[in-house]
Amino acid sequence: MSGIAEKLVDPSWYSGQASRLHTGMIKYYQPLFKAGSAKPLFHFMIFTSFVMYNCTYWGHKQHIITYKHKEQKEALKEYRAKHGGDHH
């Protein structure tokens, strides 16, 4: 277990992972670019859509959803106070 913790703290482990990822991507995509394939374009479009969706959700929509849930919980508490307790 301590070996995993050491890796997570060591910056050289992260740079090694990034280097391996970069090398793997070059080996995979370079022949596709040279052949004129559309696959890299589609992969880039999917990646961009994924990043944009997550940034929008976590940056904006999550706060709205949290606020709505809080408002609903307070409204339900008020309703139960006016109309009796929870019978279920």
Side-chain angles (χ1 to χ4, degrees):
M1 189 66 169
S2 66
I4 294 171
E6 290 172 5
K7 285 181 183 179
L8 293 175
V9 176
D10 187 18
S12 64
W13 183 77
Y14 290 103
S15 64
Q17 292 291 335
S19 176
R20 280 192 285 279
L21 177 66
H22 181 258
T23 303
M25 287 179 68
I26 286 178
K27 285 182 179 178
Y28 180 78
Y29 284 110
Q30 194 170 26
L32 294 173
F33 277 118
K34 287 183 179 180
S37 175
K39 189 182 266 190
L41 174 65
F42 292 132
H43 288 178
F44 183 70
M45 289 168 54
I46 290 169
F47 173 75
T48 303
S49 299
F50 177 77
V51 169
M52 288 176 61
Y53 173 80
N54 283 307
C55 288
T56 302
Y57 181 81
W58 291 109
H60 180 65
K61 291 181 182 176
Q62 180 61 33
H63 302 294
I64 293 171
I65 292 170
T66 304
Y67 175 76
K68 284 183 180 179
H69 287 176
K70 183 179 175 184
E71 190 177 39
Q72 288 171 351
K73 191 180 283 186
E74 290 173 3
L76 187 59
K77 193 182 289 185
E78 280 182 31
Y79 177 81
R80 287 184 177 152
K82 287 182 182 177
H83 302 289
D86 187 17
H87 299 293
H88 298 280

